[in-house]
Amino acid sequence: MASNGEAAFATNYLVLDPKEATVFDLLRFLLSSRADNRRFIFSPRGTRLPFPKRVVIVGSVVMQLILFMLAGPLALFGYALEQGLNLLHVNGGFMGLIFRILRGRRPVQAPDRDSPKFLSLIGLSDNREELDASIPIDDARYNSALAIMAAKVVYENPAHIEYVVSKIWKMEFMGFYDFWNAFQRKPTTQAMLFRQNKDSDSELICVSFRGTEPFAAEDWITDMDLSYFELPKVGRAHSGFMEALGLQRGSGWPKDLPQSTRQYAYYTIREILKDALKNNPKAKFIVTGHSLGGALAILFPSILAYHEEKDLLDRLDGVYTFGQPRVADSRFGAFVEQNLEGSTRKYFRIVYCNDLVPRVPWDNSWSDFQHFGKCIYFNSLYRGDIVDEVPNKNYFSIFMFMPKKMISAWELMRGFGMGMFMGPEYKELKVMRAVRLMGLFGLAGLPAHAPLDYVNSTRFASPNLYTSKPWLGQ
């Protein structure tokens, strides 16, 4: 959490510290427009906020406090659930486990979280690991199809990731990293890099950031946070996402860092790319991520532009984000569009149907966060369209309650027929069906956030959605 002194690099800032808030503090804040004398808010002297914005901030703080309280139980439940499901997975399912116990000929295998066979809940809900053979490298959809598989597999442990990249995709695994967060004083950001067709004209390096983990309350807290820093001549960006990418205490985004034993995502990946690309002038790279990983994916080239890293930006072949939350204000967005979009389109923000996460933080007249660029939006039939903003952009609407439940019911039923009508690789697993069932009776936008629907969307997409024609000015 930043203090006022540690935010000195920013021309403006508002940083929330929910743990310092009491009920009395929140009530006082609602009744007074001043934000600069609050225990749970860091902001410049004289900062005043309108009432609607104060209401939204209080709502954000309350939700974060609830998530803080649930963090321990949620992590324990997630650990137990993944262990139990992997126990079944490595022993041939429920009946396989029973036979092993009863017959005693083969010992029951205990799940090993560091093994290539161990799967996260993401992998257990969609165990596809092969790339789609029907989308060749010269297909306009190829980068997007590769990106979502990279964004999905990065949720797994390093051994599993390396196995998939090296043995299944037959590509060069360049490493998995656990990056330091200077503000939280611990590693919070995971990413991997791999390369295809080294030393050829089609050489492509992929950077994939891990997204919001289902049982990691801290990730969800970051998604719900409304804190921001304003960079000079650029605009306001989400503080939590920037901190995860490598923002430095007090100095913000210096172009270079002194030698350190710590690895920060932005700086380490930037240098890896510079070194890897220098021997092949035709080599390119893409950046991708799902959920929180999508936020980091678009911020990475944004900071490259901030540092005027033109040589690297010229080698950028595309940014592909899936279920990405809002990361910045309109001024920041204009800066990114100006520096990223030239003669060809490079930013592809992809949203599936009722996914909750792309609809937070809220976007309204007093908000500091807006999406920028066009969006490729897929409905529940996996039909895509290019839009300025998704329907029901802030998710929580009483008028959309029943339509969302009806779509959730349809998605549950659809899952039973996908394997039959679209092929065995589209058959939904029991874990995913259980997730959809919970969404039917809970938040419909959570099952819609799963990578499975994004994998399907990219595979069923029209190539016209990914043509190189820039969207700006259309």
Side-chain angles (χ1 to χ4, degrees):
M1 180 60 61
S3 66
N4 285 14
E6 291 168 339
F9 64 91
T11 53
N12 198 356
Y13 56 92
L14 187 144
V15 181
L16 305 179
D17 187 359
K19 291 181 180 179
E20 294 295 322
T22 65
V23 173
F24 182 67
D25 291 329
L26 296 176
L27 290 175
R28 284 186 60 210
F29 178 58
L30 283 174
L31 297 174
S32 172
S33 63
R34 290 196 62 181
D36 59 347
N37 61 345
R38 309 295 173 183
R39 292 191 301 174
F40 66 98
I41 297 178
F42 295 106
S43 63
R45 185 177 298 277
T47 300
R48 293 183 178 273
L49 303 174
F51 180 73
K53 188 169 184 176
R54 301 201 302 273
V55 172
V56 173
I57 288 175
V58 168
S60 171
V61 168
V62 169
M63 285 190 290
Q64 290 181 67
L65 287 172
I66 293 171
L67 286 167
F68 276 125
M69 290 187 290
L70 293 176
L74 190 62
L76 184 61
F77 173 75
Y79 180 89
L81 180 62
E82 287 188 344
Q83 286 292 109
L85 291 173
N86 274 278
L87 179 65
L88 299 177
H89 174 66
V90 298
N91 288 286
F94 179 75
M95 294 307 298
L97 178 63
I98 295 300
F99 284 142
R100 283 177 183 255
I101 294 173
L102 294 179
R103 291 181 178 179
R105 295 178 184 174
R106 299 173 65 189
V108 174
Q109 292 187 46
D112 177 2
R113 300 186 76 87
D114 297 322
S115 164
K117 294 182 178 180
F118 192 92
L119 293 173
S120 69
L121 185 66
I122 301 294
L124 291 163
S125 63
D126 180 11
N127 62 3
R128 289 175 292 185
E129 294 173 342
E130 298 277 358
L131 301 177
D132 190 339
S134 69
I135 304 179
I137 196 169
D138 59 349
D139 191 308
R141 298 170 297 168
Y142 178 80
N143 279 3
S144 177
L146 175 66
I148 182 55
M149 291 300 289
K152 183 171 84 77
V153 79
V154 78
Y155 282 101
E156 308 305 326
N157 66 56
H160 185 91
I161 294 171
E162 183 173 6
Y163 173 80
V164 170
V165 171
S166 303
K167 303 299 182 183
I168 297 179
W169 298 352
K170 308 297 183 184
M171 298 181 187
E172 179 191 352
F173 179 66
M174 298 174 66
F176 175 86
Y177 298 87
D178 199 7
F179 293 112
W180 190 257
N181 185 317
F183 289 79
Q184 296 191 27
R185 293 184 171 89
K186 63 181 180 180
T188 64
T189 305
Q190 295 76 37
M192 71 156 174
L193 291 88
F194 64 90
R195 170 164 45 194
Q196 71 171 22
N197 301 332
K198 185 178 179 180
D199 298 326
S200 72
D201 289 353
S202 60
E203 179 177 341
L204 183 71
I205 296 172
C206 179
V207 179
S208 180
F209 289 96
R210 181 180 289 178
T212 305
E213 298 186 65
F215 302 106
E218 286 185 350
D219 288 353
W220 290 103
I221 288 168
T222 299
D223 288 341
M224 294 291 179
D225 195 5
L226 299 178
S227 303
Y228 65 80
F229 293 119
E230 183 172 324
L231 299 181
K233 301 179 181 179
V234 176
R236 297 176 180 179
H238 192 287
S239 65
F241 299 148
M242 288 204 294
E243 290 166 10
L245 189 62
L247 188 75
Q248 300 297 296
R249 285 176 170 268
S251 57
W253 288 111
K255 186 163 185 177
D256 296 294
L257 292 182
Q259 289 287 345
S260 171
T261 57
R262 308 290 192 196
Q263 286 187 314
Y264 298 94
Y266 167 77
Y267 295 97
T268 301
I269 293 172
R270 184 187 67 180
E271 296 311 307
I272 291 173
L273 288 173
K274 284 183 178 180
D275 185 63
L277 294 168
K278 66 183 180 183
N279 293 322
N280 184 355
K282 294 191 176 181
K284 300 282 189 178
F285 74 98
I286 62 173
V287 190
T288 187
H290 167 260
S291 192
L292 184 152
L296 301 180
I298 186 56
L299 282 177
F300 177 77
S302 304
I303 304 304
L304 287 179
Y306 181 63
H307 286 153
E308 299 180 345
E309 295 280 1
K310 187 177 184 301
D311 289 344
L312 264 185
L313 287 173
D314 287 344
R315 310 288 284 276
L316 176 65
D317 204 33
V319 179
Y320 297 84
T321 72
F322 305 89
Q324 168 213 312
R326 296 182 176 102
V327 301
D329 66 3
S330 57
R331 186 170 163 231
F332 189 100
F335 170 83
V336 176
E337 290 178 343
Q338 179 183 350
N339 286 276
L340 229 63
E341 305 282 21
S343 59
T344 59
R345 219 170 72 213
K346 291 188 176 182
Y347 177 32
F348 300 86
R349 178 169 59 87
I350 300 157
V351 175
Y352 169 74
C353 201
N354 286 325
D355 187 351
L356 166 64
V357 174
R359 294 167 166 91
V360 297
W362 293 277
D363 174 8
N364 43 46
S365 59
W366 54 83
S367 172
D368 296 298
F369 300 96
Q370 289 91 37
H371 280 306
F372 47 88
K374 299 282 187 176
C375 169
I376 301 178
Y377 173 76
F378 290 93
N379 64 20
S380 64
L381 297 174
Y382 299 126
R383 292 175 181 167
D385 196 11
I386 297 172
V387 299
D388 291 311
E389 185 56 273
V390 299
N392 189 29
K393 70 175 184 178
N394 288 324
Y395 189 81
F396 295 101
S397 167
I398 58 173
F399 302 107
M400 290 298 296
F401 178 80
M402 285 308 299
K404 284 186 290 191
K405 291 301 179 184
M406 292 172 66
I407 290 175
S408 291
W410 152 246
E411 289 170 333
L412 179 62
M413 293 186 293
R414 182 191 63 191
F416 286 93
M418 287 290 289
M420 184 184 306
F421 296 107
M422 306 307 299
E425 68 270 27
Y426 293 100
K427 180 181 178 181
E428 287 198 6
L429 304 178
K430 293 177 181 177
V431 173
M432 190 62 207
R433 291 176 184 173
V435 172
R436 292 204 191 279
L437 191 62
M438 287 188 289
L440 184 60
F441 297 101
L443 275 175
L446 293 182
H449 186 57
L452 179 144
D453 284 318
Y454 284 97
V455 174
N456 291 348
S457 295
T458 57
R459 294 185 177 191
F460 292 136
S462 165
N464 293 333
L465 295 172
Y466 298 97
T467 56
S468 60
K469 183 179 179 182
W471 284 330
L472 299 186
Q474 293 184 4

